[in-house]
Amino acid sequence: MYKNQSNFFHSINQFTRHFSKSLNEVLVPLGLYSAQWTIIYLLNTNGPSTQKDLSLYLGVEAPTMTRTLARLEKAGWISKLSGTDKREKKIFLTDLAHKQYEVWLEAVQACESNVLNNISEEERDLMQKIIERMNNNL
């Protein structure tokens, strides 16, 4: 067993908390939180989705996803439409969210660039591969 295994995972946990906080610092003035951004990013990248699929992909419990989606809907960033199964609704970004998306993306990318300062492309690629492999082990 890797002797610093607990420190390794503690570092990952600390990084994600600090990164989320940094992301909130740039997004909150734009009317959004980092947890909401992840949903908006997915909907923009992958297209409409169900609440269940979003929850599964992001590893978020259903009640938390319900609250986050309700806030996004109240803000006018998403809308829900019934699909073929009336019990399951597709979640879409609204025109308002599409218009605001580039502003959010620019803020997020500036935050990401700060975090990636002094980290080479090779190191980023290696880290991405490691994260993907770890995710596959979950």
Side-chain angles (χ1 to χ4, degrees), residues 31-111:
L32 204 62
Y33 287 92
S34 62
Q36 296 169 323
W37 166 251
T38 59
I39 294 167
I40 287 173
Y41 177 81
L42 281 173
L43 292 173
N44 187 74
T45 303
N46 300 339
S49 183
T50 64
Q51 178 173 331
K52 181 180 178 182
D53 288 341
L54 289 170
S55 293
L56 287 171
Y57 183 82
L58 295 171
V60 175
E61 298 293 328
T64 303
M65 182 60 71
T66 299
R67 284 190 301 273
T68 304
L69 291 174
R71 288 182 186 119
L72 286 170
E73 191 170 26
K74 185 177 180 181
W77 306 129
I78 64 164
S79 62
K80 298 176 184 176
L81 296 173
S82 294
T84 51
D85 181 348
K86 299 273 186 213
R87 297 168 294 164
E88 196 166 71
K89 296 182 182 201
K90 286 281 188 178
I91 300 161
F92 296 81
L93 289 180
T94 62
D95 289 341
L96 182 62
H98 282 291
K99 289 176 186 170
Q100 186 68 19
Y101 186 82
E102 289 302 316
V103 174
W104 293 325
L105 182 62
E106 188 176 308
V108 168
Q109 288 177 336
C111 183

